[in-house]
Amino acid sequence: MRTFIYSLCVIIAVSIPTAMYSQTGPTRRVVIAADKVLDGKGHVLKNTRIVVEGSKIVAIDPKAGPVDYDLRGLTVLPGWIDAHAHVTWSFGKDGKNVGAGETTQEAAYRSAANAWATLMAGFTTIQSVGSPTDLPLRDAIARGELVGPRILTAVDPLMGRGERTGTPEEIRAFIRKQKLAGADVIKIFASQSIRQGGGMTLSQEQLNAACDEAKKQGLRSLVHAYKEAVRAATLAGCTQVEHGTLATNDDLKLMSQKGTYLDPQAGLVIENYLLNKDRYLGTPGYTEEGFAAMTKILPMNHDLVQRASKIPGLKIVFGTDAVAGAHGHNAEEFIDRVRDGKVDPMTAMVSANSLGAEAMGLADKIGSIAPGLQADIIALDGDPLADITAVRRVLFVMKGGVVYKNVAHRRR
Ligand SMILES: [Zn+2]
């Protein structure tokens, strides 16, 4: 009986928050007035109103009223999607890099703080790639217990270690294990760190097995790949290439033909390492030689983004690779992409909206301002199409119909 009562309590505790305490309520109607809306697909809507009911957008109607949030004078757009972050990666008590694997109470609070900072910066969905510590954070946010972006996680990544990685059958078993552990996506390391030269760490056969098994399990595969590993991942039918540094134009054309997504980084991750050098130096994987290599890699990444954006049909998503120090500054990557990668601002926005959603298989749920989609809506002080630094000035954040930030009244 005690067990029965206990389980009943658990059921009630889990079901009440959404049923009774939801901040917007199941049917409350919210109207947002805006004079400039980027719809997430490359269009600009002028002088309109967005109608939200519960967690979803139900209409775009210039005549709707009464207005609950007046965002005229700002630029309104869908919440951004970061395809590649490491939200649980932080600096420890001594201020030094501790990576994403720490499971202390302090590390848990830091992860929650990173999630909060990311959402406040306008990112309503992120894909965190490569740590089991993402799981409890993802689930707490999904239950509405913690404030943060929607999180998709890869749990443990497949680390390429040459033959020691395992046979194709062992690799397939590893992929299935991640799915059972709750992975939303599979992360694969097919190259060494670029700081160590970026050589390939999986054979074509191993990569084929990994991405094929992911597909069989209904999961996407994201491959950390430089140089020749970019082509290998594309040939293996993997979903997306992360980083892609030193890919040739022929590799990029092949990706375009096969529909493989590219997730390059135009600057933030390296700028953040250089800015926080004393906090990283001497921690595992971060040496003086590595830092010297980074300053050389930065222009290579600018070059990659410039070349990639000229390849017809190549689908380039937005991923920051945010590690400790970069959470909440994810939007800096837009500025790098436009300023150093020579990408036009609208393309940069779409990469983190509808295209980012499409790459995650979530185009019918997020990434656009349209009826039927989640009400993930942000507003910027300024127009990013005219001045990309407006991405730093996020004044309003709504995720799933709930407003988490509204400082729009401070703008004048
Ligand atoms: Zn990464």
Side-chain angles (χ1 to χ4, degrees), residues 241-259:
V241 165
E242 305 301 311
H243 319 309
T245 311
L246 295 173
T248 66
N249 286 350
D250 281 345
D251 298 336
L252 298 171
K253 279 181 200 153
L254 185 69
M255 289 180 69
S256 170
Q257 281 161 25
K258 303 255 293 177

Side-chain angles (χ1 to χ4, degrees), residues 5-15:
I5 291 170
Y6 175 74
S7 7
L8 199 66
C9 291
V10 170
I11 291 164
I12 291 168
V14 169
S15 60

Side-chain angles (χ1 to χ4, degrees), residues 6-342:
Y6 175 74
S7 7
L8 199 66
C9 291
V10 170
I11 291 164
I12 291 168
V14 169
S15 60
I16 281 177
T18 46
M20 289 177 66
Y21 298 139
S22 162
Q23 290 182 44
T24 53
T27 53
R28 197 189 146 207
R29 189 177 139 95
V30 171
V31 177
I32 298 170
D35 49 18
K36 185 182 278 182
V37 178
L38 309 187
D39 74 346
K41 294 181 167 176
H43 311 115
V44 182
L45 315 176
K46 295 270 175 76
N47 301 318
T48 194
R49 289 179 182 176
I50 305 165
V51 184
V52 174
E53 275 180 21
S55 65
K56 289 185 178 171
I57 297 166
V58 294
I60 308 292
D61 176 3
K63 293 194 179 69
V67 173
D68 297 279
Y69 296 98
D70 184 357
L71 302 180
R72 287 175 301 172
L74 306 180
T75 304
V76 174
L77 67 160
W80 288 314
I81 298 167
D82 188 339
H84 187 138
H86 299 276
V87 69
T88 60
W89 192 324
S90 56
F91 298 124
K93 276 188 198 165
D94 61 356
K96 294 267 191 179
N97 166 44
V98 286
E102 204 180 287
T103 54
T104 61
Q105 211 164 356
E106 288 83 357
Y109 287 133
R110 291 195 302 263
S111 298
N114 291 343
W116 181 83
T118 304
L119 182 68
M120 291 303 115
F123 288 80
T124 46
T125 302
I126 62 168
Q127 193 155 243
S128 190
V129 285
S131 176
T133 56
D134 296 337
L135 281 169
L137 181 63
R138 174 192 72 180
D139 296 345
I141 292 170
R143 288 193 299 263
E145 296 163 0
L146 276 181
V147 172
R150 205 174 278 107
I151 295 177
L152 282 74
T153 177
V155 193
D156 265 318
L158 175 71
M159 297 298 296
R161 290 174 294 133
E163 291 213 339
R164 286 179 297 138
T165 319
T167 62
E169 270 319 305
E170 286 165 343
I171 287 172
R172 286 176 186 276
F174 178 89
I175 304 294
R176 291 193 293 270
K177 198 173 138 201
Q178 301 320 308
K179 164 123 184 183
L180 278 176
D184 304 294
V185 60
I186 297 295
K187 172 80 185 290
I188 298 161
F189 283 85
S191 300
Q192 295 171 314
S193 166
I194 193 85
R195 296 187 295 276
Q196 281 129 33
M200 223 171 132
T201 55
L202 285 173
S203 68
Q204 185 71 54
E205 193 191 13
Q206 288 172 318
L207 207 41
N208 292 351
C211 292
D212 181 62
E213 189 63 32
K215 207 174 282 172
K216 280 192 178 142
Q217 299 303 319
L219 297 178
R220 294 167 298 116
S221 45
L222 272 46
V223 185
H224 164 110
Y226 305 110
K227 304 194 283 192
E228 68 273 21
V230 172
R231 175 165 288 261
T234 307
L235 291 172
C238 310
T239 315
Q240 186 166 305
V241 165
E242 305 301 311
H243 319 309
T245 311
L246 295 173
T248 66
N249 286 350
D250 281 345
D251 298 336
L252 298 171
K253 279 181 200 153
L254 185 69
M255 289 180 69
S256 170
Q257 281 161 25
K258 303 255 293 177
T260 313
Y261 294 93
L262 175 65
D263 178 17
Q265 283 73 45
L268 169 66
V269 62
I270 291 183
E271 288 162 5
N272 177 69
Y273 279 137
L274 297 174
L275 195 66
N276 292 291
K277 184 178 172 184
D278 54 335
R279 309 180 94 180
Y280 278 96
L281 196 63
T283 67
Y286 298 91
T287 60
E288 279 291 0
E289 300 72 51
F291 271 93
M294 281 191 221
T295 55
K296 295 198 183 87
I297 296 158
L298 193 54
M300 291 178 197
N301 285 344
H302 296 161
D303 169 67
L304 172 72
V305 174
Q306 290 178 22
R307 285 188 291 117
S309 54
K310 292 193 192 99
I311 304 287
L314 180 58
K315 294 189 275 192
I316 307 172
V317 297
F318 180 86
T320 61
D321 203 3
V323 293
H327 306 296
H329 304 287
N330 312 55
E332 293 297 316
E333 178 71 13
F334 288 122
I335 300 172
D336 298 327
R337 212 176 247 209
V338 169
R339 183 190 59 207
D340 304 324
K342 311 295 176 208

